[in-house]
Short mmCIF file of all heavy atoms in Angstrom, two decimals:
data_model
loop_
_atom_site.label_atom_id
_atom_site.label_comp_id
_atom_site.label_asym_id
_atom_site.label_seq_id
_atom_site.Cartn_x
_atom_site.Cartn_y
_atom_site.Cartn_z
N MET A 1 60.64 193.79 -17.97
CA MET A 1 59.92 194.30 -19.15
C MET A 1 58.97 195.43 -18.76
O MET A 1 58.49 196.15 -19.61
CB MET A 1 59.10 193.16 -19.80
CG MET A 1 59.97 192.06 -20.41
SD MET A 1 60.89 192.59 -21.84
CE MET A 1 61.72 191.08 -22.28
N ALA A 2 58.70 195.55 -17.47
CA ALA A 2 57.73 196.54 -17.03
C ALA A 2 58.29 197.96 -17.04
O ALA A 2 57.55 198.92 -16.96
CB ALA A 2 57.26 196.19 -15.62
N LYS A 3 59.60 198.04 -17.15
CA LYS A 3 60.22 199.35 -17.10
C LYS A 3 59.96 200.13 -18.39
O LYS A 3 60.33 199.69 -19.48
CB LYS A 3 61.73 199.17 -16.89
CG LYS A 3 62.32 200.31 -16.08
CD LYS A 3 63.76 200.00 -15.72
CE LYS A 3 64.32 201.08 -14.84
NZ LYS A 3 65.75 200.88 -14.60
N VAL A 4 59.30 201.25 -18.25
CA VAL A 4 58.95 202.03 -19.43
C VAL A 4 60.09 202.98 -19.78
O VAL A 4 60.55 203.05 -20.91
CB VAL A 4 57.65 202.83 -19.19
CG1 VAL A 4 57.30 203.66 -20.43
CG2 VAL A 4 56.50 201.88 -18.85
N LYS A 5 60.53 203.70 -18.75
CA LYS A 5 61.58 204.68 -19.00
C LYS A 5 62.94 204.00 -19.04
O LYS A 5 63.38 203.41 -18.05
CB LYS A 5 61.55 205.71 -17.85
CG LYS A 5 62.19 207.03 -18.23
CD LYS A 5 62.01 208.02 -17.09
CE LYS A 5 62.58 209.37 -17.45
NZ LYS A 5 62.47 210.29 -16.33
N THR A 6 63.58 204.06 -20.16
CA THR A 6 64.87 203.39 -20.28
C THR A 6 65.99 204.38 -19.97
O THR A 6 65.97 205.52 -20.42
CB THR A 6 65.05 202.82 -21.70
OG1 THR A 6 64.62 203.79 -22.63
CG2 THR A 6 64.28 201.54 -21.88
N LYS A 7 66.92 203.90 -19.19
CA LYS A 7 68.07 204.72 -18.83
C LYS A 7 68.94 204.93 -20.07
O LYS A 7 69.13 204.01 -20.85
CB LYS A 7 68.87 203.98 -17.75
CG LYS A 7 69.60 204.93 -16.83
CD LYS A 7 70.34 204.11 -15.78
CE LYS A 7 71.80 204.49 -15.81
NZ LYS A 7 72.59 203.60 -14.96
N GLN A 8 69.44 206.15 -20.17
CA GLN A 8 70.27 206.41 -21.34
C GLN A 8 71.70 205.92 -21.13
O GLN A 8 72.19 205.87 -20.01
CB GLN A 8 70.28 207.90 -21.62
CG GLN A 8 69.09 208.30 -22.49
CD GLN A 8 69.37 209.60 -23.19
OE1 GLN A 8 69.52 210.63 -22.56
NE2 GLN A 8 69.43 209.55 -24.50
N CYS A 9 72.30 205.62 -22.22
CA CYS A 9 73.66 205.08 -22.20
C CYS A 9 74.63 206.09 -21.58
O CYS A 9 74.67 207.25 -21.98
CB CYS A 9 74.06 204.75 -23.63
SG CYS A 9 75.79 204.41 -23.83
N PHE A 10 75.39 205.63 -20.60
CA PHE A 10 76.33 206.50 -19.89
C PHE A 10 77.32 207.17 -20.83
O PHE A 10 77.60 208.36 -20.72
CB PHE A 10 77.08 205.65 -18.85
CG PHE A 10 78.19 206.39 -18.15
CD1 PHE A 10 77.92 207.18 -17.05
CD2 PHE A 10 79.49 206.28 -18.60
CE1 PHE A 10 78.95 207.86 -16.40
CE2 PHE A 10 80.53 206.96 -17.96
CZ PHE A 10 80.25 207.75 -16.87
N TYR A 11 77.83 206.42 -21.77
CA TYR A 11 78.85 206.96 -22.67
C TYR A 11 78.26 207.93 -23.69
O TYR A 11 78.88 208.92 -24.03
CB TYR A 11 79.60 205.82 -23.37
CG TYR A 11 80.56 205.12 -22.43
CD1 TYR A 11 80.18 203.97 -21.75
CD2 TYR A 11 81.82 205.62 -22.20
CE1 TYR A 11 81.04 203.34 -20.86
CE2 TYR A 11 82.70 205.00 -21.32
CZ TYR A 11 82.30 203.87 -20.66
OH TYR A 11 83.15 203.25 -19.79
N CYS A 12 77.05 207.63 -24.15
CA CYS A 12 76.40 208.53 -25.10
C CYS A 12 76.04 209.84 -24.41
O CYS A 12 76.23 210.92 -24.97
CB CYS A 12 75.15 207.88 -25.69
SG CYS A 12 75.53 206.57 -26.86
N VAL A 13 75.54 209.76 -23.18
CA VAL A 13 75.14 210.94 -22.43
C VAL A 13 76.34 211.84 -22.15
O VAL A 13 76.28 213.06 -22.29
CB VAL A 13 74.46 210.53 -21.10
CG1 VAL A 13 74.33 211.72 -20.15
CG2 VAL A 13 73.09 209.92 -21.37
N ASN A 14 77.45 211.22 -21.77
CA ASN A 14 78.65 211.98 -21.45
C ASN A 14 79.52 212.25 -22.67
O ASN A 14 80.62 212.79 -22.54
CB ASN A 14 79.45 211.25 -20.37
CG ASN A 14 78.73 211.28 -19.04
OD1 ASN A 14 78.67 212.30 -18.38
ND2 ASN A 14 78.13 210.17 -18.66
N ASN A 15 79.00 211.82 -23.82
CA ASN A 15 79.69 212.08 -25.09
C ASN A 15 81.12 211.52 -25.10
O ASN A 15 82.05 212.21 -25.50
CB ASN A 15 79.68 213.59 -25.38
CG ASN A 15 79.81 213.84 -26.86
OD1 ASN A 15 79.60 212.96 -27.68
ND2 ASN A 15 80.18 215.06 -27.22
N ILE A 16 81.24 210.30 -24.66
CA ILE A 16 82.54 209.63 -24.70
C ILE A 16 82.50 208.60 -25.84
O ILE A 16 81.82 207.58 -25.73
CB ILE A 16 82.83 208.92 -23.35
CG1 ILE A 16 82.68 209.91 -22.19
CG2 ILE A 16 84.23 208.29 -23.37
CD1 ILE A 16 82.68 209.26 -20.83
N PRO A 17 83.15 208.90 -26.94
CA PRO A 17 83.04 207.99 -28.08
C PRO A 17 83.79 206.68 -27.88
O PRO A 17 83.35 205.63 -28.35
CB PRO A 17 83.65 208.79 -29.24
CG PRO A 17 84.53 209.80 -28.59
CD PRO A 17 83.98 210.07 -27.23
N HIS A 18 84.91 206.74 -27.17
CA HIS A 18 85.70 205.52 -27.00
C HIS A 18 85.77 205.12 -25.54
O HIS A 18 86.00 205.94 -24.67
CB HIS A 18 87.11 205.72 -27.55
CG HIS A 18 87.12 205.96 -29.02
ND1 HIS A 18 86.82 204.97 -29.94
CD2 HIS A 18 87.34 207.08 -29.74
CE1 HIS A 18 86.88 205.48 -31.15
NE2 HIS A 18 87.18 206.77 -31.06
N VAL A 19 85.55 203.85 -25.32
CA VAL A 19 85.63 203.32 -23.96
C VAL A 19 87.10 203.01 -23.67
O VAL A 19 87.72 202.20 -24.36
CB VAL A 19 84.77 202.06 -23.82
CG1 VAL A 19 84.84 201.53 -22.39
CG2 VAL A 19 83.33 202.36 -24.18
N ASP A 20 87.63 203.68 -22.66
CA ASP A 20 89.03 203.48 -22.31
C ASP A 20 89.15 202.39 -21.26
O ASP A 20 88.52 202.46 -20.20
CB ASP A 20 89.61 204.79 -21.78
CG ASP A 20 91.13 204.75 -21.66
OD1 ASP A 20 91.71 203.66 -21.87
OD2 ASP A 20 91.72 205.80 -21.37
N TYR A 21 89.94 201.37 -21.57
CA TYR A 21 90.06 200.25 -20.62
C TYR A 21 90.82 200.66 -19.36
O TYR A 21 90.80 199.95 -18.37
CB TYR A 21 90.71 199.03 -21.29
CG TYR A 21 92.21 199.15 -21.53
CD1 TYR A 21 93.12 198.68 -20.59
CD2 TYR A 21 92.69 199.72 -22.69
CE1 TYR A 21 94.48 198.78 -20.81
CE2 TYR A 21 94.05 199.82 -22.92
CZ TYR A 21 94.95 199.36 -21.97
OH TYR A 21 96.29 199.47 -22.19
N LYS A 22 91.50 201.81 -19.41
CA LYS A 22 92.24 202.28 -18.24
C LYS A 22 91.33 203.01 -17.24
O LYS A 22 91.72 203.24 -16.10
CB LYS A 22 93.39 203.20 -18.66
CG LYS A 22 94.47 202.49 -19.45
CD LYS A 22 95.68 203.33 -19.69
CE LYS A 22 95.78 204.11 -20.97
NZ LYS A 22 94.93 203.84 -22.08
N ASP A 23 90.13 203.35 -17.69
CA ASP A 23 89.16 204.02 -16.80
C ASP A 23 88.42 202.99 -15.97
O ASP A 23 87.22 202.76 -16.14
CB ASP A 23 88.15 204.83 -17.62
CG ASP A 23 88.66 206.23 -17.91
OD1 ASP A 23 89.55 206.70 -17.18
OD2 ASP A 23 88.16 206.84 -18.86
N THR A 24 89.11 202.41 -15.04
CA THR A 24 88.50 201.33 -14.26
C THR A 24 87.40 201.84 -13.34
O THR A 24 86.51 201.09 -12.99
CB THR A 24 89.57 200.57 -13.44
OG1 THR A 24 90.39 201.52 -12.78
CG2 THR A 24 90.42 199.71 -14.34
N ASP A 25 87.48 203.11 -12.96
CA ASP A 25 86.43 203.68 -12.12
C ASP A 25 85.09 203.63 -12.84
O ASP A 25 84.05 203.38 -12.24
CB ASP A 25 86.76 205.12 -11.74
CG ASP A 25 87.88 205.20 -10.71
OD1 ASP A 25 88.12 204.19 -10.03
OD2 ASP A 25 88.50 206.26 -10.60
N ILE A 26 85.13 203.91 -14.12
CA ILE A 26 83.90 203.88 -14.92
C ILE A 26 83.50 202.43 -15.21
O ILE A 26 82.35 202.06 -15.05
CB ILE A 26 84.09 204.67 -16.23
CG1 ILE A 26 84.31 206.16 -15.92
CG2 ILE A 26 82.87 204.49 -17.15
CD1 ILE A 26 84.72 206.99 -17.11
N LEU A 27 84.48 201.64 -15.60
CA LEU A 27 84.18 200.25 -15.96
C LEU A 27 83.61 199.48 -14.77
O LEU A 27 82.79 198.58 -14.95
CB LEU A 27 85.44 199.55 -16.46
CG LEU A 27 86.01 200.05 -17.80
CD1 LEU A 27 87.29 199.30 -18.13
CD2 LEU A 27 85.01 199.88 -18.92
N ARG A 28 84.05 199.86 -13.58
CA ARG A 28 83.58 199.19 -12.38
C ARG A 28 82.05 199.30 -12.21
O ARG A 28 81.44 198.48 -11.55
CB ARG A 28 84.29 199.78 -11.16
CG ARG A 28 84.56 198.78 -10.05
CD ARG A 28 85.40 199.42 -8.99
NE ARG A 28 86.77 199.62 -9.44
CZ ARG A 28 87.74 198.72 -9.26
NH1 ARG A 28 87.48 197.60 -8.66
NH2 ARG A 28 88.97 198.97 -9.67
N LYS A 29 81.51 200.35 -12.79
CA LYS A 29 80.05 200.53 -12.72
C LYS A 29 79.32 199.42 -13.47
O LYS A 29 78.16 199.16 -13.21
CB LYS A 29 79.65 201.85 -13.40
CG LYS A 29 80.03 203.10 -12.65
CD LYS A 29 79.42 204.27 -13.44
CE LYS A 29 80.30 205.48 -13.49
NZ LYS A 29 80.22 206.25 -12.27
N PHE A 30 80.01 198.84 -14.42
CA PHE A 30 79.35 197.90 -15.32
C PHE A 30 79.71 196.45 -15.06
O PHE A 30 79.51 195.61 -15.92
CB PHE A 30 79.65 198.28 -16.77
CG PHE A 30 79.28 199.71 -17.07
CD1 PHE A 30 80.25 200.64 -17.43
CD2 PHE A 30 77.97 200.12 -16.99
CE1 PHE A 30 79.92 201.95 -17.68
CE2 PHE A 30 77.62 201.44 -17.25
CZ PHE A 30 78.60 202.35 -17.59
N VAL A 31 80.26 196.22 -13.88
CA VAL A 31 80.47 194.83 -13.49
C VAL A 31 79.70 194.56 -12.20
O VAL A 31 79.55 195.46 -11.37
CB VAL A 31 81.96 194.47 -13.31
CG1 VAL A 31 82.70 194.51 -14.63
CG2 VAL A 31 82.63 195.38 -12.29
N SER A 32 79.24 193.35 -12.06
CA SER A 32 78.49 193.00 -10.86
C SER A 32 79.47 192.76 -9.71
O SER A 32 80.68 192.85 -9.87
CB SER A 32 77.68 191.73 -11.13
OG SER A 32 78.56 190.64 -11.22
N SER A 33 78.92 192.46 -8.55
CA SER A 33 79.76 192.23 -7.38
C SER A 33 80.65 191.00 -7.58
O SER A 33 81.65 190.85 -6.91
CB SER A 33 78.90 192.05 -6.14
OG SER A 33 77.93 191.06 -6.36
N TYR A 34 80.27 190.15 -8.51
CA TYR A 34 81.08 188.97 -8.79
C TYR A 34 82.00 189.21 -9.98
O TYR A 34 82.47 188.26 -10.60
CB TYR A 34 80.18 187.75 -9.02
CG TYR A 34 79.43 187.35 -7.78
CD1 TYR A 34 78.09 187.69 -7.62
CD2 TYR A 34 80.07 186.66 -6.76
CE1 TYR A 34 77.40 187.36 -6.47
CE2 TYR A 34 79.40 186.31 -5.61
CZ TYR A 34 78.06 186.66 -5.46
OH TYR A 34 77.39 186.33 -4.32
N MET A 35 82.20 190.50 -10.30
CA MET A 35 83.08 190.91 -11.39
C MET A 35 82.60 190.44 -12.75
O MET A 35 83.37 190.35 -13.70
CB MET A 35 84.53 190.41 -11.15
CG MET A 35 85.17 190.98 -9.89
SD MET A 35 85.08 192.76 -9.77
CE MET A 35 86.31 193.25 -10.98
N LYS A 36 81.33 190.15 -12.82
CA LYS A 36 80.78 189.76 -14.11
C LYS A 36 80.32 191.01 -14.84
O LYS A 36 79.88 191.99 -14.22
CB LYS A 36 79.59 188.81 -13.92
CG LYS A 36 80.03 187.43 -13.52
CD LYS A 36 78.84 186.52 -13.33
CE LYS A 36 78.19 186.18 -14.65
NZ LYS A 36 77.17 185.13 -14.49
N ILE A 37 80.39 190.99 -16.15
CA ILE A 37 79.96 192.13 -16.94
C ILE A 37 78.44 192.21 -16.87
O ILE A 37 77.75 191.22 -17.11
CB ILE A 37 80.44 191.99 -18.39
CG1 ILE A 37 81.98 192.01 -18.43
CG2 ILE A 37 79.88 193.12 -19.25
CD1 ILE A 37 82.57 191.50 -19.73
N ALA A 38 77.93 193.39 -16.52
CA ALA A 38 76.50 193.56 -16.34
C ALA A 38 75.76 193.42 -17.67
O ALA A 38 76.24 193.89 -18.70
CB ALA A 38 76.22 194.93 -15.74
N PRO A 39 74.58 192.80 -17.65
CA PRO A 39 73.78 192.72 -18.86
C PRO A 39 73.25 194.10 -19.22
O PRO A 39 73.20 195.00 -18.39
CB PRO A 39 72.64 191.77 -18.48
CG PRO A 39 72.55 191.84 -17.00
CD PRO A 39 73.94 192.11 -16.52
N ARG A 40 72.85 194.25 -20.45
CA ARG A 40 72.48 195.58 -20.95
C ARG A 40 71.32 196.20 -20.17
O ARG A 40 71.29 197.40 -19.93
CB ARG A 40 72.09 195.48 -22.43
CG ARG A 40 71.90 196.82 -23.07
CD ARG A 40 72.55 196.88 -24.42
NE ARG A 40 71.97 195.89 -25.32
CZ ARG A 40 70.97 196.16 -26.15
NH1 ARG A 40 70.46 197.37 -26.19
NH2 ARG A 40 70.51 195.25 -26.95
N ARG A 41 70.40 195.39 -19.73
CA ARG A 41 69.25 195.93 -18.98
C ARG A 41 69.69 196.55 -17.66
O ARG A 41 69.00 197.40 -17.11
CB ARG A 41 68.20 194.84 -18.76
CG ARG A 41 68.68 193.71 -17.88
CD ARG A 41 67.58 192.69 -17.65
NE ARG A 41 68.06 191.61 -16.79
CZ ARG A 41 68.72 190.57 -17.23
NH1 ARG A 41 68.96 190.44 -18.52
NH2 ARG A 41 69.13 189.63 -16.41
N ARG A 42 70.85 196.12 -17.15
CA ARG A 42 71.35 196.67 -15.90
C ARG A 42 72.28 197.85 -16.14
O ARG A 42 72.28 198.82 -15.41
CB ARG A 42 72.08 195.58 -15.12
CG ARG A 42 71.50 195.33 -13.74
CD ARG A 42 72.31 194.28 -13.03
NE ARG A 42 73.67 194.79 -12.80
CZ ARG A 42 74.11 195.16 -11.61
NH1 ARG A 42 73.32 195.07 -10.56
NH2 ARG A 42 75.33 195.58 -11.45
N SER A 43 73.13 197.72 -17.14
CA SER A 43 74.11 198.77 -17.40
C SER A 43 73.46 199.98 -18.07
O SER A 43 73.93 201.10 -17.92
CB SER A 43 75.23 198.22 -18.27
OG SER A 43 74.74 197.80 -19.51
N GLY A 44 72.38 199.74 -18.81
CA GLY A 44 71.69 200.83 -19.49
C GLY A 44 72.44 201.35 -20.69
O GLY A 44 72.14 202.42 -21.20
N LEU A 45 73.42 200.60 -21.15
CA LEU A 45 74.22 201.04 -22.28
C LEU A 45 73.53 200.70 -23.59
O LEU A 45 72.71 199.78 -23.66
CB LEU A 45 75.59 200.37 -22.25
CG LEU A 45 76.50 200.72 -21.06
CD1 LEU A 45 77.71 199.81 -21.08
CD2 LEU A 45 76.92 202.17 -21.11
N CYS A 46 73.87 201.45 -24.61
CA CYS A 46 73.38 201.11 -25.94
C CYS A 46 74.19 199.91 -26.44
O CYS A 46 75.25 199.59 -25.89
CB CYS A 46 73.51 202.29 -26.89
SG CYS A 46 75.21 202.77 -27.26
N ALA A 47 73.68 199.27 -27.46
CA ALA A 47 74.29 198.03 -27.95
C ALA A 47 75.76 198.25 -28.33
O ALA A 47 76.61 197.41 -28.07
CB ALA A 47 73.51 197.50 -29.14
N TRP A 48 75.99 199.40 -28.94
CA TRP A 48 77.34 199.69 -29.41
C TRP A 48 78.32 199.84 -28.25
O TRP A 48 79.40 199.25 -28.24
CB TRP A 48 77.31 200.96 -30.25
CG TRP A 48 78.53 201.19 -31.05
CD1 TRP A 48 78.92 200.50 -32.17
CD2 TRP A 48 79.56 202.16 -30.79
NE1 TRP A 48 80.11 201.01 -32.61
CE2 TRP A 48 80.52 202.01 -31.80
CE3 TRP A 48 79.73 203.12 -29.80
CZ2 TRP A 48 81.65 202.81 -31.84
CZ3 TRP A 48 80.86 203.92 -29.85
CH2 TRP A 48 81.80 203.76 -30.86
N HIS A 49 77.93 200.62 -27.24
CA HIS A 49 78.81 200.83 -26.10
C HIS A 49 78.89 199.61 -25.19
O HIS A 49 79.90 199.38 -24.55
CB HIS A 49 78.35 202.07 -25.31
CG HIS A 49 78.84 203.35 -25.90
ND1 HIS A 49 78.00 204.30 -26.41
CD2 HIS A 49 80.10 203.80 -26.08
CE1 HIS A 49 78.74 205.30 -26.88
NE2 HIS A 49 80.01 205.03 -26.68
N GLN A 50 77.82 198.84 -25.15
CA GLN A 50 77.86 197.61 -24.36
C GLN A 50 78.97 196.70 -24.87
O GLN A 50 79.73 196.12 -24.11
CB GLN A 50 76.51 196.90 -24.44
CG GLN A 50 76.47 195.51 -23.81
CD GLN A 50 76.49 195.55 -22.30
OE1 GLN A 50 75.98 196.47 -21.70
NE2 GLN A 50 77.06 194.53 -21.70
N ARG A 51 79.08 196.63 -26.18
CA ARG A 51 80.13 195.80 -26.79
C ARG A 51 81.50 196.37 -26.47
O ARG A 51 82.44 195.65 -26.19
CB ARG A 51 79.92 195.72 -28.31
CG ARG A 51 78.86 194.74 -28.68
CD ARG A 51 79.16 193.89 -29.93
NE ARG A 51 80.10 194.44 -30.87
CZ ARG A 51 79.78 194.85 -32.08
NH1 ARG A 51 78.53 194.80 -32.49
NH2 ARG A 51 80.71 195.28 -32.90
N LYS A 52 81.60 197.70 -26.55
CA LYS A 52 82.88 198.37 -26.26
C LYS A 52 83.28 198.15 -24.80
O LYS A 52 84.44 197.90 -24.50
CB LYS A 52 82.76 199.86 -26.54
CG LYS A 52 82.53 200.19 -27.99
CD LYS A 52 83.84 200.24 -28.73
CE LYS A 52 83.60 200.46 -30.22
NZ LYS A 52 84.85 200.33 -30.99
N VAL A 53 82.31 198.27 -23.91
CA VAL A 53 82.58 198.11 -22.49
C VAL A 53 83.02 196.67 -22.19
O VAL A 53 83.99 196.45 -21.46
CB VAL A 53 81.34 198.49 -21.65
CG1 VAL A 53 81.44 197.97 -20.22
CG2 VAL A 53 81.17 200.01 -21.63
N ALA A 54 82.32 195.72 -22.79
CA ALA A 54 82.68 194.32 -22.57
C ALA A 54 84.11 194.07 -23.02
O ALA A 54 84.89 193.40 -22.32
CB ALA A 54 81.71 193.41 -23.32
N GLY A 55 84.48 194.62 -24.15
CA GLY A 55 85.84 194.47 -24.65
C GLY A 55 86.85 195.16 -23.75
O GLY A 55 87.92 194.62 -23.48
N ALA A 56 86.49 196.35 -23.27
CA ALA A 56 87.39 197.13 -22.42
C ALA A 56 87.61 196.43 -21.09
O ALA A 56 88.73 196.44 -20.56
CB ALA A 56 86.82 198.52 -22.20
N ILE A 57 86.56 195.84 -20.54
CA ILE A 57 86.69 195.12 -19.28
C ILE A 57 87.62 193.93 -19.44
O ILE A 57 88.50 193.69 -18.62
CB ILE A 57 85.30 194.69 -18.76
CG1 ILE A 57 84.51 195.92 -18.29
CG2 ILE A 57 85.44 193.69 -17.61
CD1 ILE A 57 83.05 195.65 -18.00
N LYS A 58 87.47 193.21 -20.54
CA LYS A 58 88.34 192.06 -20.80
C LYS A 58 89.79 192.51 -20.96
O LYS A 58 90.71 191.87 -20.46
CB LYS A 58 87.86 191.33 -22.05
CG LYS A 58 86.64 190.48 -21.77
CD LYS A 58 85.96 190.02 -23.03
CE LYS A 58 84.63 189.37 -22.70
NZ LYS A 58 83.85 189.08 -23.90
N GLN A 59 89.95 193.64 -21.63
CA GLN A 59 91.30 194.18 -21.84
C GLN A 59 91.90 194.61 -20.50
O GLN A 59 93.07 194.38 -20.23
CB GLN A 59 91.20 195.37 -22.79
CG GLN A 59 92.41 195.52 -23.69
CD GLN A 59 92.24 196.69 -24.64
OE1 GLN A 59 91.13 197.11 -24.95
NE2 GLN A 59 93.35 197.22 -25.11
N ALA A 60 91.07 195.24 -19.67
CA ALA A 60 91.53 195.71 -18.36
C ALA A 60 91.93 194.53 -17.48
O ALA A 60 92.89 194.62 -16.71
CB ALA A 60 90.43 196.52 -17.68
N ARG A 61 91.21 193.44 -17.60
CA ARG A 61 91.55 192.25 -16.83
C ARG A 61 92.90 191.70 -17.24
O ARG A 61 93.73 191.36 -16.40
CB ARG A 61 90.49 191.16 -17.06
CG ARG A 61 89.22 191.39 -16.31
CD ARG A 61 88.18 190.42 -16.82
NE ARG A 61 86.94 190.51 -16.05
CZ ARG A 61 85.81 189.96 -16.44
NH1 ARG A 61 85.76 189.31 -17.59
NH2 ARG A 61 84.74 190.08 -15.70
N ILE A 62 93.12 191.65 -18.53
CA ILE A 62 94.38 191.12 -19.04
C ILE A 62 95.53 192.04 -18.63
O ILE A 62 96.62 191.60 -18.29
CB ILE A 62 94.30 190.94 -20.57
CG1 ILE A 62 93.32 189.81 -20.90
CG2 ILE A 62 95.67 190.64 -21.16
CD1 ILE A 62 92.82 189.81 -22.33
N ALA A 63 95.26 193.36 -18.65
CA ALA A 63 96.29 194.34 -18.27
C ALA A 63 96.51 194.37 -16.76
O ALA A 63 97.39 195.09 -16.29
CB ALA A 63 95.88 195.71 -18.78
N GLY A 64 95.69 193.65 -16.02
CA GLY A 64 95.86 193.58 -14.58
C GLY A 64 95.23 194.74 -13.83
O GLY A 64 95.51 194.96 -12.67
N LEU A 65 94.37 195.51 -14.51
CA LEU A 65 93.73 196.66 -13.87
C LEU A 65 92.46 196.26 -13.12
O LEU A 65 92.02 196.95 -12.21
CB LEU A 65 93.39 197.73 -14.91
CG LEU A 65 94.59 198.30 -15.67
CD1 LEU A 65 94.11 199.16 -16.82
CD2 LEU A 65 95.47 199.12 -14.75
N MET A 66 91.88 195.17 -13.58
CA MET A 66 90.66 194.68 -12.92
C MET A 66 90.83 193.19 -12.62
O MET A 66 91.56 192.49 -13.31
CB MET A 66 89.45 194.87 -13.83
CG MET A 66 88.96 196.30 -13.86
SD MET A 66 87.60 196.45 -15.00
CE MET A 66 86.24 196.26 -13.89
N ALA A 67 90.12 192.76 -11.61
CA ALA A 67 90.22 191.36 -11.21
C ALA A 67 89.27 190.49 -12.03
O ALA A 67 88.23 190.96 -12.50
CB ALA A 67 89.91 191.22 -9.74
N PHE A 68 89.66 189.24 -12.22
CA PHE A 68 88.78 188.29 -12.89
C PHE A 68 87.73 187.80 -11.90
O PHE A 68 86.59 187.53 -12.26
CB PHE A 68 89.58 187.09 -13.39
CG PHE A 68 90.35 187.37 -14.64
CD1 PHE A 68 91.64 187.86 -14.59
CD2 PHE A 68 89.79 187.14 -15.88
CE1 PHE A 68 92.36 188.12 -15.74
CE2 PHE A 68 90.49 187.40 -17.05
CZ PHE A 68 91.78 187.88 -16.98
N VAL A 69 88.13 187.66 -10.67
CA VAL A 69 87.24 187.17 -9.63
C VAL A 69 87.32 188.13 -8.44
O VAL A 69 88.34 188.78 -8.24
CB VAL A 69 87.64 185.74 -9.19
CG1 VAL A 69 87.28 184.73 -10.25
CG2 VAL A 69 89.12 185.66 -8.85
N PRO A 70 86.26 188.24 -7.65
CA PRO A 70 86.29 189.14 -6.50
C PRO A 70 87.24 188.63 -5.42
O PRO A 70 87.43 187.44 -5.25
CB PRO A 70 84.84 189.15 -6.00
CG PRO A 70 84.26 187.89 -6.51
CD PRO A 70 84.94 187.61 -7.81
N ARG A 71 87.81 189.57 -4.75
CA ARG A 71 88.75 189.21 -3.68
C ARG A 71 88.02 188.95 -2.38
O ARG A 71 87.04 189.62 -2.10
CB ARG A 71 89.76 190.33 -3.47
CG ARG A 71 90.96 190.15 -4.39
CD ARG A 71 91.90 191.31 -4.20
NE ARG A 71 91.86 192.15 -5.39
CZ ARG A 71 92.75 193.13 -5.60
NH1 ARG A 71 93.67 193.37 -4.73
NH2 ARG A 71 92.67 193.86 -6.68
ZN1 ZN B 1 76.12 204.50 -26.10
#
């Protein structure tokens, strides 16, 4: 709560309206070392993109692009 300056949403800054589940390089930024989806305070995403990212990560997992558990 002490953090005053909030990081801006990666997707809003880069003007990416849609989160592509095939962009695993980007999605990887938003998962922890245990392949868990990062909470918003860590990812710095806006509420809208956080939801999109969470959905994209789940989609990527099902498509076999990302792991469910770390290797
Ligand atoms: Zn955003």
Side-chain angles (χ1 to χ4, degrees):
M1 293 292 181
K3 212 172 184 186
V4 179
K5 202 175 182 183
T6 44
K7 209 179 125 188
Q8 274 202 296
C9 168
F10 173 85
Y11 286 95
C12 287
V13 166
N14 291 287
N15 204 18
I16 307 169
H18 296 289
V19 181
D20 191 354
Y21 74 93
K22 293 189 266 345
D23 273 339
T24 47
D25 287 340
I26 295 171
L27 293 177
R28 214 173 288 269
K29 289 185 218 280
F30 305 116
V31 292
S32 71
S33 53
Y34 294 101
M35 298 308 286
K36 286 180 71 171
I37 296 164
R40 189 136 61 93
R41 64 178 180 276
R42 238 182 65 107
S43 62
L45 295 172
C46 67
W48 194 73
H49 278 116
Q50 172 74 31
R51 281 220 337 248
K52 295 276 175 187
V53 164
I57 289 169
K58 283 166 189 172
Q59 213 178 336
R61 283 169 175 167
I62 291 162
L65 299 170
M66 282 177 95
F68 283 89
V69 288
R71 272 177 251 191

